[in-house]
Amino acid sequence: MSVAYKFPATVYSPLGCDLWWAPSPAGPWSILQSGYPLAASAAAETFVVYLAAGSVVCPGYSSPVSSTVTGPNTYFDGAFISY
């Protein structure tokens, strides 16, 4: 699963491109995988994850100061395979 963020201007504080997880849409939300923090206007990461049935994931980003589950500057592209 690939997650990314893109801002219209350069970001000067390092941001990690993250994959957030919750056991259901109601939460609670937590970071499942976190990318290397970069001070850039765009970044992307790809993670391989194994999820339980009913799990929910979404893209996000985090900094040393705060974390954001989603926003207008995040997106993801995922492939789900079930056995």
Side-chain angles (χ1 to χ4, degrees):
M1 181 167 302
S2 296
V3 296
Y5 66 79
K6 180 167 177 50
F7 292 95
T10 300
V11 176
Y12 295 100
S13 175
L15 295 176
C17 197
D18 305 325
L19 181 64
W20 288 74
W21 169 87
S24 73
W29 289 93
S30 61
I31 294 176
L32 179 63
Q33 296 282 338
S34 189
Y36 186 79
L38 295 174
S41 62
E45 295 286 346
T46 299
F47 306 108
V48 175
V49 293
Y50 298 91
L51 303 167
S55 295
V56 180
V57 293
C58 74
Y61 49 90
S62 63
S63 74
V65 177
S66 66
S67 298
T68 302
V69 171
T70 111
N73 301 309
T74 63
Y75 68 91
F76 78 99
D77 178 26
F80 296 96
I81 299 171
S82 179
Y83 290 97

Coordinates of all heavy atoms in Angstrom, one line a residue:
M1 N 0.8 -1.2 0.0 CA 0.0 0.0 0.0 C 0.9 1.2 0.0 O 1.8 1.3 0.8 CB -0.9 0.0 1.2 CG -1.8 1.1 1.3 SD -3.1 0.9 2.6 CE -3.8 -0.6 2.0
S2 N 0.6 2.2 -0.9 CA 1.4 3.4 -1.0 C 0.6 4.6 -0.4 O -0.6 4.7 -0.7 CB 1.8 3.7 -2.4 OG 2.6 2.7 -2.9
V3 N 1.3 5.4 0.4 CA 0.7 6.6 0.9 C 1.6 7.8 0.6 O 2.8 7.6 0.4 CB 0.5 6.5 2.4 CG1 -0.5 5.4 2.8 CG2 1.8 6.3 3.2
A4 N 1.0 8.9 0.5 CA 1.8 10.1 0.1 C 1.2 11.4 0.6 O 0.0 11.4 0.9 CB 2.0 10.2 -1.4
Y5 N 2.0 12.4 0.6 CA 1.4 13.8 0.8 C 2.1 14.7 -0.2 O 3.2 14.5 -0.7 CB 1.7 14.3 2.3 CG 3.1 14.5 2.7 CD1 3.8 15.6 2.3 CD2 3.8 13.6 3.5 CE1 5.1 15.8 2.7 CE2 5.1 13.8 3.8 CZ 5.8 14.9 3.5 OH 7.1 15.1 3.8
K6 N 1.3 15.8 -0.5 CA 1.8 16.8 -1.4 C 1.3 18.2 -1.0 O 0.1 18.3 -0.8 CB 1.4 16.5 -2.8 CG 2.0 17.6 -3.8 CD 1.8 17.1 -5.2 CE 2.3 18.2 -6.2 NZ 3.6 18.8 -6.0
F7 N 2.2 19.1 -0.8 CA 1.8 20.5 -0.4 C 2.1 21.4 -1.5 O 3.1 21.2 -2.2 CB 2.5 20.9 0.9 CG 2.0 20.1 2.1 CD1 2.7 19.0 2.5 CD2 0.9 20.5 2.8 CE1 2.3 18.3 3.6 CE2 0.5 19.8 3.9 CZ 1.2 18.7 4.3
P8 N 1.4 22.6 -1.6 CA 1.7 23.5 -2.7 C 3.0 24.2 -2.5 O 3.6 24.8 -3.5 CB 0.5 24.5 -2.6 CG -0.1 24.3 -1.3 CD 0.2 22.9 -0.9
A9 N 3.6 24.2 -1.3 CA 4.9 24.9 -1.1 C 5.8 24.0 -0.2 O 5.3 23.0 0.3 CB 4.6 26.2 -0.3
T10 N 7.0 24.3 -0.2 CA 8.0 23.5 0.5 C 7.6 23.5 2.0 O 7.3 24.5 2.6 CB 9.4 24.0 0.3 OG1 9.7 23.9 -1.1 CG2 10.4 23.2 1.1
V11 N 7.7 22.4 2.7 CA 7.5 22.2 4.1 C 8.9 22.2 4.8 O 9.8 21.4 4.4 CB 6.8 20.9 4.4 CG1 6.6 20.7 5.9 CG2 5.4 20.9 3.7
Y12 N 9.1 23.1 5.7 CA 10.4 23.2 6.3 C 10.6 22.4 7.6 O 11.7 22.2 8.2 CB 10.8 24.6 6.6 CG 10.9 25.4 5.3 CD1 9.9 26.2 4.8 CD2 12.1 25.3 4.5 CE1 10.0 26.9 3.6 CE2 12.2 25.9 3.3 CZ 11.1 26.7 2.9 OH 11.2 27.4 1.7
S13 N 9.5 21.8 8.1 CA 9.5 20.9 9.3 C 9.4 19.5 8.8 O 8.6 19.2 7.9 CB 8.3 21.2 10.2 OG 8.3 20.3 11.2
P14 N 10.3 18.6 9.3 CA 10.2 17.2 8.8 C 8.8 16.5 9.0 O 8.3 16.6 10.1 CB 11.3 16.5 9.6 CG 12.2 17.5 10.1 CD 11.3 18.7 10.3
L15 N 8.3 15.9 8.0 CA 7.0 15.2 8.1 C 7.2 13.7 7.7 O 7.9 13.5 6.7 CB 6.0 15.8 7.2 CG 5.5 17.2 7.5 CD1 4.5 17.7 6.4 CD2 4.8 17.3 8.8
G16 N 6.6 12.8 8.4 CA 6.7 11.4 8.1 C 5.4 11.1 7.3 O 4.3 11.5 7.7
C17 N 5.5 10.3 6.3 CA 4.3 9.9 5.5 C 3.9 8.6 6.1 O 4.6 7.6 6.1 CB 4.8 9.7 4.1 SG 3.4 9.6 2.9
D18 N 2.7 8.6 6.7 CA 2.2 7.5 7.6 C 1.0 6.7 7.0 O 0.2 7.3 6.3 CB 1.9 8.0 8.9 CG 3.0 8.8 9.6 OD1 4.2 8.4 9.4 OD2 2.7 9.7 10.3
L19 N 0.9 5.5 7.5 CA -0.3 4.7 7.3 C -1.0 4.5 8.6 O -0.4 4.0 9.6 CB 0.0 3.3 6.7 CG -1.1 2.4 6.4 CD1 -2.1 3.0 5.3 CD2 -0.7 1.0 5.9
W20 N -2.2 5.0 8.7 CA -3.0 5.0 10.0 C -3.9 3.8 9.9 O -4.4 3.4 8.9 CB -3.7 6.2 10.2 CG -2.9 7.4 10.5 CD1 -2.0 8.1 9.7 CD2 -2.7 8.0 11.8 NE1 -1.4 9.1 10.4 CE2 -1.8 9.1 11.7 CE3 -3.3 7.8 13.0 CZ2 -1.4 9.9 12.7 CZ3 -2.9 8.6 14.1 CH2 -2.0 9.6 13.9
W21 N -4.2 3.2 11.1 CA -5.1 2.0 11.3 C -6.1 2.2 12.4 O -5.8 2.8 13.4 CB -4.1 0.8 11.6 CG -4.9 -0.4 12.0 CD1 -5.4 -1.4 11.1 CD2 -5.2 -0.8 13.3 NE1 -6.0 -2.3 11.9 CE2 -5.9 -2.0 13.2 CE3 -5.0 -0.3 14.6 CZ2 -6.4 -2.7 14.3 CZ3 -5.4 -1.0 15.7 CH2 -6.1 -2.2 15.5
A22 N -7.2 1.5 12.2 CA -8.2 1.4 13.3 C -8.9 0.1 13.1 O -9.1 -0.4 12.0 CB -9.2 2.6 13.2
P23 N -9.4 -0.5 14.2 CA -10.1 -1.8 14.1 C -11.4 -1.7 13.5 O -12.0 -2.7 13.0 CB -10.2 -2.3 15.6 CG -10.0 -1.0 16.4 CD -9.2 -0.1 15.6
S24 N -12.0 -0.5 13.4 CA -13.3 -0.2 12.8 C -13.3 1.3 12.4 O -12.5 2.1 12.9 CB -14.4 -0.5 13.7 OG -14.5 0.4 14.7
P25 N -14.3 1.7 11.6 CA -14.3 3.1 11.2 C -14.5 4.0 12.4 O -14.1 5.2 12.3 CB -15.6 3.2 10.3 CG -15.7 1.8 9.7 CD -15.2 0.9 10.8
A26 N -15.0 3.5 13.5 CA -15.2 4.4 14.7 C -13.9 4.6 15.5 O -13.9 5.5 16.4 CB -16.2 3.7 15.6
G27 N -12.8 3.9 15.1 CA -11.5 4.1 15.8 C -11.3 3.1 16.9 O -12.0 2.1 17.0
P28 N -10.4 3.4 17.8 CA -9.5 4.5 17.8 C -8.4 4.4 16.8 O -8.0 3.3 16.4 CB -8.9 4.4 19.2 CG -8.9 3.0 19.6 CD -10.1 2.5 18.9
W29 N -7.9 5.5 16.3 CA -6.8 5.6 15.2 C -5.4 5.6 15.8 O -5.2 6.2 16.9 CB -7.0 6.8 14.4 CG -8.2 6.7 13.5 CD1 -9.5 7.2 13.8 CD2 -8.3 6.1 12.2 NE1 -10.3 6.8 12.8 CE2 -9.7 6.2 11.8 CE3 -7.4 5.4 11.4 CZ2 -10.1 5.7 10.6 CZ3 -7.8 4.9 10.2 CH2 -9.2 5.0 9.8
S30 N -4.5 4.9 15.2 CA -3.1 4.9 15.6 C -2.2 4.7 14.3 O -2.7 4.2 13.3 CB -2.8 3.8 16.6 OG -3.1 2.6 16.1
I31 N -1.0 5.1 14.4 CA -0.1 4.9 13.3 C 0.3 3.5 13.2 O 0.8 2.9 14.2 CB 1.2 5.8 13.5 CG1 0.8 7.3 13.4 CG2 2.2 5.5 12.4 CD1 1.9 8.3 13.6
L32 N 0.1 2.9 12.0 CA 0.5 1.5 11.8 C 1.9 1.4 11.3 O 2.7 0.6 11.7 CB -0.5 0.8 10.8 CG -0.3 -0.6 10.4 CD1 -0.4 -1.5 11.6 CD2 -1.3 -1.0 9.4
Q33 N 2.2 2.2 10.3 CA 3.6 2.3 9.7 C 3.9 3.8 9.5 O 3.0 4.6 9.1 CB 3.6 1.6 8.4 CG 3.4 0.1 8.4 CD 4.6 -0.6 8.9 OE1 5.7 -0.1 8.8 NE2 4.4 -1.8 9.4
S34 N 5.2 4.1 9.7 CA 5.6 5.5 9.5 C 6.8 5.6 8.6 O 7.7 4.7 8.7 CB 5.9 6.1 10.9 OG 6.1 7.5 10.7
G35 N 6.8 6.5 7.7 CA 7.9 6.7 6.8 C 9.0 7.6 7.4 O 8.8 8.2 8.5
Y36 N 10.1 7.7 6.7 CA 11.2 8.5 7.1 C 10.8 10.0 7.0 O 10.4 10.5 6.0 CB 12.4 8.3 6.2 CG 13.7 9.0 6.7 CD1 14.4 8.5 7.8 CD2 14.1 10.1 6.1 CE1 15.6 9.1 8.2 CE2 15.2 10.8 6.5 CZ 16.0 10.3 7.6 OH 17.1 11.0 8.0
P37 N 11.0 10.8 8.1 CA 10.6 12.2 8.0 C 11.5 13.0 7.1 O 12.7 13.0 7.1 CB 10.8 12.7 9.5 CG 11.1 11.5 10.3 CD 11.5 10.4 9.4
L38 N 10.8 13.8 6.2 CA 11.5 14.7 5.3 C 11.0 16.1 5.3 O 9.8 16.3 5.6 CB 11.3 14.1 3.8 CG 11.9 12.8 3.5 CD1 11.4 12.4 2.1 CD2 13.4 12.8 3.5
A39 N 11.8 17.0 5.1 CA 11.4 18.4 4.9 C 11.3 18.7 3.4 O 12.2 19.1 2.8 CB 12.4 19.4 5.6
A40 N 10.1 18.4 2.9 CA 9.9 18.5 1.4 C 8.5 18.8 1.2 O 7.6 18.6 2.0 CB 10.3 17.2 0.8
S41 N 8.2 19.2 -0.1 CA 6.8 19.5 -0.4 C 6.0 18.3 -0.7 O 4.8 18.3 -0.7 CB 6.7 20.5 -1.5 OG 7.3 19.9 -2.7
A42 N 6.7 17.2 -1.0 CA 6.0 15.9 -1.3 C 6.9 14.7 -0.9 O 8.1 14.8 -0.9 CB 5.7 15.8 -2.8
A43 N 6.2 13.7 -0.5 CA 6.9 12.4 -0.1 C 5.9 11.3 -0.3 O 4.7 11.5 -0.2 CB 7.4 12.5 1.3
A44 N 6.5 10.1 -0.4 CA 5.6 8.9 -0.5 C 6.4 7.7 0.1 O 7.6 7.7 0.2 CB 5.3 8.6 -2.0
E45 N 5.6 6.7 0.6 CA 6.2 5.5 1.2 C 5.3 4.4 0.7 O 4.1 4.5 0.4 CB 6.1 5.6 2.7 CG 7.0 6.6 3.3 CD 8.5 6.3 3.3 OE1 8.9 5.1 3.0 OE2 9.3 7.2 3.5
T46 N 5.9 3.2 0.7 CA 5.1 2.0 0.4 C 5.3 1.0 1.5 O 6.5 0.7 1.9 CB 5.5 1.4 -1.0 OG1 5.3 2.3 -2.0 CG2 4.8 0.1 -1.3
F47 N 4.2 0.4 2.0 CA 4.3 -0.5 3.1 C 3.6 -1.8 2.8 O 2.6 -1.8 2.1 CB 3.6 0.0 4.4 CG 4.1 1.4 4.8 CD1 3.4 2.5 4.6 CD2 5.4 1.5 5.4 CE1 3.8 3.8 5.0 CE2 5.9 2.8 5.8 CZ 5.1 3.9 5.6
V48 N 4.1 -2.9 3.2 CA 3.3 -4.2 3.2 C 2.7 -4.4 4.6 O 3.5 -4.4 5.5 CB 4.3 -5.4 2.8 CG1 3.5 -6.7 2.8 CG2 4.8 -5.1 1.4
V49 N 1.4 -4.6 4.6 CA 0.8 -4.8 5.9 C -0.2 -6.0 5.8 O -0.7 -6.3 4.8 CB 0.0 -3.5 6.4 CG1 1.0 -2.4 6.7 CG2 -1.0 -3.1 5.3
Y50 N -0.4 -6.6 6.9 CA -1.4 -7.7 7.1 C -2.5 -7.2 8.0 O -2.1 -6.8 9.2 CB -0.7 -9.0 7.6 CG 0.3 -9.4 6.6 CD1 1.7 -9.0 6.7 CD2 0.0 -10.3 5.6 CE1 2.6 -9.5 5.8 CE2 1.0 -10.7 4.7 CZ 2.3 -10.3 4.8 OH 3.2 -10.7 3.9
L51 N -3.7 -7.1 7.6 CA -4.8 -6.6 8.4 C -5.8 -7.6 8.7 O -6.1 -8.5 7.9 CB -5.4 -5.4 7.6 CG -4.5 -4.3 7.2 CD1 -5.2 -3.4 6.1 CD2 -4.1 -3.5 8.4
A52 N -6.4 -7.5 9.9 CA -7.5 -8.3 10.3 C -8.8 -7.9 9.5 O -8.9 -6.8 9.1 CB -7.8 -8.2 11.8
A53 N -9.7 -8.9 9.3 CA -11.0 -8.5 8.7 C -11.7 -7.4 9.4 O -11.7 -7.3 10.6 CB -11.9 -9.8 8.7
G54 N -12.2 -6.4 8.6 CA -12.8 -5.3 9.2 C -12.0 -4.1 9.6 O -12.4 -3.0 9.9
S55 N -10.6 -4.3 9.4 CA -9.7 -3.2 9.7 C -9.9 -2.1 8.7 O -10.3 -2.3 7.6 CB -8.3 -3.7 9.7 OG -8.0 -4.6 10.7
V56 N -9.6 -0.9 9.2 CA -9.7 0.3 8.3 C -8.3 1.0 8.3 O -7.7 1.1 9.3 CB -10.7 1.3 8.9 CG1 -10.9 2.5 8.0 CG2 -12.1 0.6 9.0
V57 N -7.9 1.5 7.1 CA -6.6 2.2 7.0 C -6.9 3.5 6.3 O -7.8 3.6 5.5 CB -5.5 1.4 6.3 CG1 -5.1 0.2 7.2 CG2 -5.9 1.0 5.0
C58 N -6.0 4.5 6.5 CA -6.1 5.8 5.8 C -4.7 6.4 5.8 O -3.8 6.1 6.6 CB -7.1 6.7 6.4 SG -6.7 7.5 7.9
P59 N -4.4 7.3 4.8 CA -3.2 8.0 4.7 C -3.1 9.1 5.7 O -4.1 9.6 6.2 CB -3.1 8.5 3.3 CG -4.6 8.8 3.0 CD -5.3 7.7 3.7
G60 N -1.9 9.5 6.1 CA -1.7 10.7 6.9 C -0.3 11.0 7.0 O 0.6 10.5 6.3
Y61 N 0.0 12.0 7.9 CA 1.4 12.4 8.1 C 1.6 12.8 9.5 O 0.7 13.0 10.2 CB 1.8 13.5 7.1 CG 0.8 14.7 7.1 CD1 1.0 15.8 7.9 CD2 -0.2 14.7 6.1 CE1 0.1 16.8 7.9 CE2 -1.1 15.8 6.1 CZ -0.9 16.8 6.9 OH -1.8 17.9 6.9
S62 N 2.9 12.8 9.9 CA 3.2 13.2 11.3 C 4.4 14.0 11.4 O 5.3 13.9 10.5 CB 3.3 11.9 12.2 OG 4.4 11.2 11.7
S63 N 4.6 14.8 12.4 CA 5.8 15.6 12.7 C 6.2 15.3 14.1 O 5.4 14.8 14.9 CB 5.5 17.1 12.4 OG 4.7 17.6 13.4
P64 N 7.3 15.8 14.5 CA 7.7 15.7 15.9 C 6.7 16.4 16.8 O 6.6 16.1 18.0 CB 9.1 16.3 16.0 CG 9.6 16.2 14.6 CD 8.4 16.3 13.7
V65 N 6.0 17.4 16.3 CA 5.0 18.2 17.1 C 3.6 17.6 17.2 O 3.0 17.6 18.2 CB 5.0 19.6 16.5 CG1 4.0 20.5 17.3 CG2 6.4 20.3 16.6
S66 N 3.1 17.1 16.0 CA 1.7 16.6 16.0 C 1.6 15.6 14.9 O 2.4 15.4 14.0 CB 0.8 17.8 15.8 OG 1.0 18.3 14.5
S67 N 0.4 14.9 14.9 CA 0.1 13.9 13.9 C -1.3 14.3 13.4 O -2.2 14.7 14.1 CB 0.0 12.5 14.5 OG 1.3 12.2 15.0
T68 N -1.5 14.0 12.1 CA -2.8 14.2 11.5 C -3.2 12.9 10.7 O -2.5 12.4 9.9 CB -2.7 15.4 10.4 OG1 -2.2 16.5 11.1 CG2 -4.0 15.6 9.8
V69 N -4.4 12.5 11.0 CA -4.9 11.3 10.4 C -5.1 11.4 8.9 O -4.6 10.7 8.1 CB -6.2 10.8 11.0 CG1 -6.8 9.6 10.3 CG2 -6.0 10.3 12.5
T70 N -5.8 12.5 8.4 CA -5.9 12.7 7.0 C -6.0 14.2 6.8 O -6.1 14.9 7.7 CB -7.2 12.0 6.4 OG1 -8.1 12.9 6.1 CG2 -7.8 11.0 7.3
G71 N -6.1 14.5 5.6 CA -6.2 15.9 5.2 C -6.3 16.1 3.7 O -6.2 15.1 3.0
P72 N -6.5 17.3 3.3 CA -6.6 17.5 1.8 C -5.3 17.3 1.1 O -5.3 17.2 -0.1 CB -7.0 19.0 1.7 CG -6.5 19.6 3.0 CD -6.6 18.5 4.0
N73 N -4.2 17.2 1.8 CA -2.9 17.0 1.2 C -2.4 15.5 1.2 O -1.2 15.3 0.9 CB -1.9 17.9 1.9 CG -2.3 19.3 1.8 OD1 -2.6 19.9 0.7 ND2 -2.3 20.0 2.9
T74 N -3.2 14.6 1.5 CA -2.8 13.2 1.6 C -3.6 12.3 0.7 O -4.7 12.6 0.3 CB -3.0 12.6 3.1 OG1 -4.3 12.6 3.4 CG2 -2.2 13.4 4.1
Y75 N -3.0 11.2 0.2 CA -3.7 10.3 -0.6 C -3.1 8.9 -0.4 O -1.9 8.8 0.1 CB -3.8 10.7 -2.0 CG -2.5 10.7 -2.8 CD1 -2.0 9.6 -3.5 CD2 -1.7 11.8 -2.7 CE1 -0.8 9.6 -4.1 CE2 -0.4 11.8 -3.4 CZ 0.0 10.7 -4.1 OH 1.1 10.7 -4.8
F76 N -3.7 7.9 -0.9 CA -3.1 6.5 -0.9 C -3.6 5.7 -2.1 O -4.7 6.0 -2.6 CB -3.3 5.8 0.4 CG -4.6 5.2 0.7 CD1 -4.8 3.8 0.4 CD2 -5.7 5.9 1.2 CE1 -6.1 3.3 0.7 CE2 -6.9 5.4 1.5 CZ -7.1 4.0 1.2
D77 N -2.8 4.7 -2.4 CA -3.2 3.8 -3.5 C -2.9 2.4 -2.9 O -1.7 2.1 -2.6 CB -2.3 4.1 -4.7 CG -2.6 3.1 -5.8 OD1 -3.7 2.6 -5.9 OD2 -1.7 2.9 -6.6
G78 N -3.9 1.6 -2.8 CA -3.7 0.3 -2.1 C -4.2 -0.8 -2.9 O -5.1 -0.7 -3.7
A79 N -3.6 -2.0 -2.7 CA -4.1 -3.2 -3.3 C -4.4 -4.2 -2.1 O -3.6 -4.4 -1.3 CB -3.1 -3.8 -4.2
F80 N -5.6 -4.7 -2.1 CA -6.0 -5.6 -1.0 C -6.2 -7.0 -1.6 O -6.9 -7.2 -2.6 CB -7.3 -5.1 -0.4 CG -7.3 -3.8 0.3 CD1 -7.6 -2.7 -0.3 CD2 -6.8 -3.7 1.6 CE1 -7.5 -1.4 0.3 CE2 -6.7 -2.5 2.2 CZ -7.1 -1.4 1.6
I81 N -5.5 -7.9 -1.0 CA -5.6 -9.3 -1.4 C -6.0 -10.1 -0.3 O -5.5 -10.0 0.8 CB -4.2 -9.8 -1.9 CG1 -3.7 -8.9 -3.1 CG2 -4.2 -11.3 -2.3 CD1 -2.3 -9.2 -3.4
S82 N -7.1 -10.9 -0.5 CA -7.6 -11.8 0.6 C -7.5 -13.2 0.2 O -7.7 -13.6 -1.0 CB -9.1 -11.4 0.7 OG -9.7 -12.2 1.7
Y83 N -7.2 -14.1 1.2 CA -7.1 -15.5 0.9 C -8.2 -16.2 1.6 O -8.6 -15.9 2.7 CB -5.7 -16.0 1.5 CG -4.6 -15.5 0.7 CD1 -3.8 -14.4 1.1 CD2 -4.2 -16.2 -0.5 CE1 -2.8 -14.0 0.4 CE2 -3.1 -15.7 -1.2 CZ -2.4 -14.6 -0.8 OH -1.4 -14.1 -1.5

